Amino acid sequence: SVDFRDDDLTKAWQDEQSLRAIGEWSNHYGGLRLKSRVGYNQNGLHYVYQFSKGGGMVQRGVDATSLTHHLFAITDAEWSIGNDLMLAANISANRYNVDSHDVAPLTPTGYTAHRNEVASVVSARWKPTEWLGVAANLREEWRDGVASPLIPALFMDITLLPEAGLRLSGSLARNYH
């Protein structure tokens, strides 16, 4: 922060505490590969800005705290069928909680909010020849129980001159914000 006051009573400081924990499991069963992760992130932040009111009096202009919690789980599966076809699926879930408040007398503000997110993707990748690769994805997302439209995507990769590294790539996808 920028403050050009010369007195010793004008100060700003910030304390932050973070916790990050994650667990992971993975295994292979022939052509099937499975992987799962679960985790928890917590961030706590306390920021204070105090200034001199004159005559040795101090007032806090900002006394803000925020605490965020993020809990997540992700599972991936990939299945190789021969050398040229791979099927994959992914599902992820997130829970966010935020509590943010400024209790200084000048600007008492704040909010408490949460959000749940779930997303899933299924995809297929096919490489029938050395020079051609094709992939397709289908994605669905939910936020607080409300589904977004399905998000499809199609990808193609053609190697034109392998010795020169010349490839032609293209994709067609729907986007949703």
Side-chain angles (χ1 to χ4, degrees):
S1 65
V2 177
D3 195 326
F4 296 103
R5 299 176 197 222
D6 290 330
D7 60 77
D8 291 336
L9 299 175
T10 300
K11 296 179 182 176
W13 66 91
Q14 175 175 304
D15 294 315
E16 184 172 356
Q17 295 180 352
S18 297
L19 170 67
R20 307 229 188 296
I22 189 168
E24 183 175 304
W25 171 87
S26 63
N27 212 338
H28 301 274
Y29 303 97
L32 179 64
R33 199 167 17 147
L34 299 172
K35 183 177 183 180
S36 292
R37 296 171 301 283
V38 295
Y40 174 74
N41 298 325
Q42 177 181 306
N43 288 318
L45 179 68
H46 183 209
Y47 174 75
V48 176
Y49 169 71
Q50 71 181 24
F51 59 90
S52 172
K53 291 178 64 175
M57 304 271 305
V58 174
Q59 181 168 351
R60 288 194 171 182
V62 177
D63 189 349
T65 60
S66 68
L67 182 61
T68 61
H69 302 274
H70 173 211
L71 182 64
F72 64 91
I74 304 166
T75 297
D76 298 303
E78 289 184 351
W79 185 26
S80 297
I81 303 171
N83 292 327
D84 58 352
L85 180 63
M86 178 178 283
L87 303 176
N90 168 287
I91 187 162
S92 63
N94 293 282
R95 167 70 180 201
Y96 300 95
N97 291 327
V98 177
D99 187 17
S100 180
H101 295 282
D102 186 349
V103 296
L106 294 179
T107 56
T109 60
Y111 65 92
T112 299
H114 70 274
R115 182 160 115 174
N116 298 306
E117 298 176 345
V118 176
S120 63
V121 179
V122 293
S123 61
R125 293 182 294 224
W126 181 45
K127 190 164 175 73
T129 68
E130 280 298 312
W131 57 271
L132 175 64
V134 179
N137 293 348
L138 189 58
R139 180 176 183 85
E140 178 66 85
E141 297 178 348
W142 297 267
R143 285 185 182 79
D144 291 325
V146 177
S148 67
L150 283 174
I151 304 169
L154 182 62
F155 309 91
M156 185 178 292
D157 191 67
I158 301 171
T159 303
L160 299 174
L161 297 171
E163 60 279 354
L166 183 61
R167 294 183 353 191
L168 176 66
S169 297
S171 64
L172 179 64
R174 176 179 186 189
N175 199 355
Y176 176 78
H177 292 284

Short mmCIF file of all heavy atoms in Angstrom, two decimals, residues 1 15 31 35 75 101-102 115 119 122 136 139-140 143 174:
data_model
loop_
_atom_site.label_atom_id
_atom_site.label_comp_id
_atom_site.label_asym_id
_atom_site.label_seq_id
_atom_site.Cartn_x
_atom_site.Cartn_y
_atom_site.Cartn_z
N SER A 1 0.84 -1.18 0.00
CA SER A 1 0.00 0.00 0.00
C SER A 1 0.88 1.23 0.00
O SER A 1 2.04 1.20 0.38
CB SER A 1 -0.93 0.00 1.21
OG SER A 1 -0.17 0.10 2.40
N ASP A 15 -1.45 -10.57 7.53
CA ASP A 15 -1.11 -11.92 7.97
C ASP A 15 -1.86 -12.90 7.07
O ASP A 15 -3.04 -12.70 6.79
CB ASP A 15 -1.53 -12.16 9.42
CG ASP A 15 -0.76 -11.31 10.40
OD1 ASP A 15 0.47 -11.22 10.26
OD2 ASP A 15 -1.38 -10.71 11.29
N GLY A 31 -4.91 -52.36 -20.15
CA GLY A 31 -5.05 -51.12 -20.90
C GLY A 31 -5.86 -50.05 -20.19
O GLY A 31 -6.07 -48.97 -20.73
N LYS A 35 -7.06 -43.01 -11.98
CA LYS A 35 -6.36 -42.08 -11.08
C LYS A 35 -7.41 -41.23 -10.38
O LYS A 35 -8.32 -40.70 -11.01
CB LYS A 35 -5.43 -41.18 -11.89
CG LYS A 35 -4.61 -40.22 -11.07
CD LYS A 35 -3.68 -39.44 -12.00
CE LYS A 35 -2.78 -38.52 -11.26
NZ LYS A 35 -1.89 -37.77 -12.18
N THR A 75 -11.52 -37.74 -10.59
CA THR A 75 -11.25 -39.11 -11.01
C THR A 75 -11.09 -39.14 -12.52
O THR A 75 -11.91 -38.58 -13.25
CB THR A 75 -12.37 -40.07 -10.57
OG1 THR A 75 -12.43 -40.07 -9.14
CG2 THR A 75 -12.12 -41.47 -11.06
N HIS A 101 -14.94 -10.20 5.31
CA HIS A 101 -15.54 -9.08 6.02
C HIS A 101 -14.51 -8.01 6.33
O HIS A 101 -13.36 -8.32 6.61
CB HIS A 101 -16.17 -9.55 7.34
CG HIS A 101 -17.32 -10.48 7.13
ND1 HIS A 101 -18.56 -10.06 6.77
CD2 HIS A 101 -17.39 -11.83 7.17
CE1 HIS A 101 -19.37 -11.10 6.62
NE2 HIS A 101 -18.66 -12.20 6.85
N ASP A 102 -14.96 -6.76 6.29
CA ASP A 102 -14.16 -5.63 6.75
C ASP A 102 -14.94 -4.99 7.88
O ASP A 102 -16.03 -4.46 7.68
CB ASP A 102 -13.95 -4.63 5.61
CG ASP A 102 -13.01 -3.49 6.00
OD1 ASP A 102 -12.69 -3.36 7.19
OD2 ASP A 102 -12.59 -2.73 5.10
N ARG A 115 -20.15 -22.17 -3.37
CA ARG A 115 -20.46 -22.62 -4.72
C ARG A 115 -20.05 -24.07 -4.85
O ARG A 115 -18.98 -24.47 -4.40
CB ARG A 115 -19.72 -21.76 -5.73
CG ARG A 115 -20.03 -22.13 -7.17
CD ARG A 115 -19.68 -21.00 -8.06
NE ARG A 115 -18.61 -21.37 -8.96
CZ ARG A 115 -18.19 -20.58 -9.93
NH1 ARG A 115 -18.71 -19.40 -10.09
NH2 ARG A 115 -17.24 -20.98 -10.72
N ALA A 119 -18.12 -31.30 -12.92
CA ALA A 119 -17.88 -31.33 -14.36
C ALA A 119 -17.51 -32.75 -14.77
O ALA A 119 -16.86 -33.47 -14.00
CB ALA A 119 -16.76 -30.37 -14.74
N VAL A 122 -16.16 -36.88 -21.38
CA VAL A 122 -15.86 -38.16 -22.02
C VAL A 122 -15.21 -37.84 -23.35
O VAL A 122 -15.57 -36.86 -24.02
CB VAL A 122 -17.11 -39.06 -22.20
CG1 VAL A 122 -17.63 -39.52 -20.87
CG2 VAL A 122 -18.19 -38.36 -22.99
N ALA A 136 -12.68 -36.59 -30.21
CA ALA A 136 -13.97 -35.96 -29.91
C ALA A 136 -14.14 -35.92 -28.39
O ALA A 136 -13.77 -36.87 -27.70
CB ALA A 136 -15.12 -36.75 -30.55
N ARG A 139 -18.47 -32.48 -22.97
CA ARG A 139 -18.30 -31.97 -21.61
C ARG A 139 -19.63 -31.46 -21.08
O ARG A 139 -20.41 -30.86 -21.80
CB ARG A 139 -17.27 -30.83 -21.62
CG ARG A 139 -17.01 -30.23 -20.27
CD ARG A 139 -15.91 -29.16 -20.37
NE ARG A 139 -15.59 -28.62 -19.09
CZ ARG A 139 -14.74 -29.15 -18.22
NH1 ARG A 139 -14.11 -30.26 -18.54
NH2 ARG A 139 -14.51 -28.61 -17.07
N GLU A 140 -19.86 -31.70 -19.79
CA GLU A 140 -21.05 -31.19 -19.10
C GLU A 140 -20.60 -30.61 -17.76
O GLU A 140 -19.74 -31.19 -17.09
CB GLU A 140 -22.06 -32.31 -18.88
CG GLU A 140 -23.31 -31.88 -18.14
CD GLU A 140 -24.18 -30.90 -18.90
OE1 GLU A 140 -25.00 -31.33 -19.72
OE2 GLU A 140 -24.03 -29.69 -18.67
N ARG A 143 -23.27 -26.06 -11.91
CA ARG A 143 -22.90 -25.11 -10.85
C ARG A 143 -24.11 -24.93 -9.95
O ARG A 143 -25.15 -24.49 -10.42
CB ARG A 143 -22.48 -23.77 -11.43
CG ARG A 143 -21.11 -23.82 -12.03
CD ARG A 143 -20.61 -22.47 -12.51
NE ARG A 143 -19.31 -22.58 -13.11
CZ ARG A 143 -19.09 -23.00 -14.34
NH1 ARG A 143 -20.08 -23.37 -15.09
NH2 ARG A 143 -17.87 -23.07 -14.81
N ARG A 174 -18.06 -26.06 -29.46
CA ARG A 174 -19.03 -25.12 -28.93
C ARG A 174 -18.42 -24.54 -27.65
O ARG A 174 -17.73 -25.23 -26.92
CB ARG A 174 -20.32 -25.85 -28.58
CG ARG A 174 -21.34 -24.95 -27.95
CD ARG A 174 -22.59 -25.72 -27.65
NE ARG A 174 -23.58 -24.78 -27.18
CZ ARG A 174 -24.72 -25.10 -26.66
NH1 ARG A 174 -25.04 -26.35 -26.57
NH2 ARG A 174 -25.56 -24.19 -26.26
#
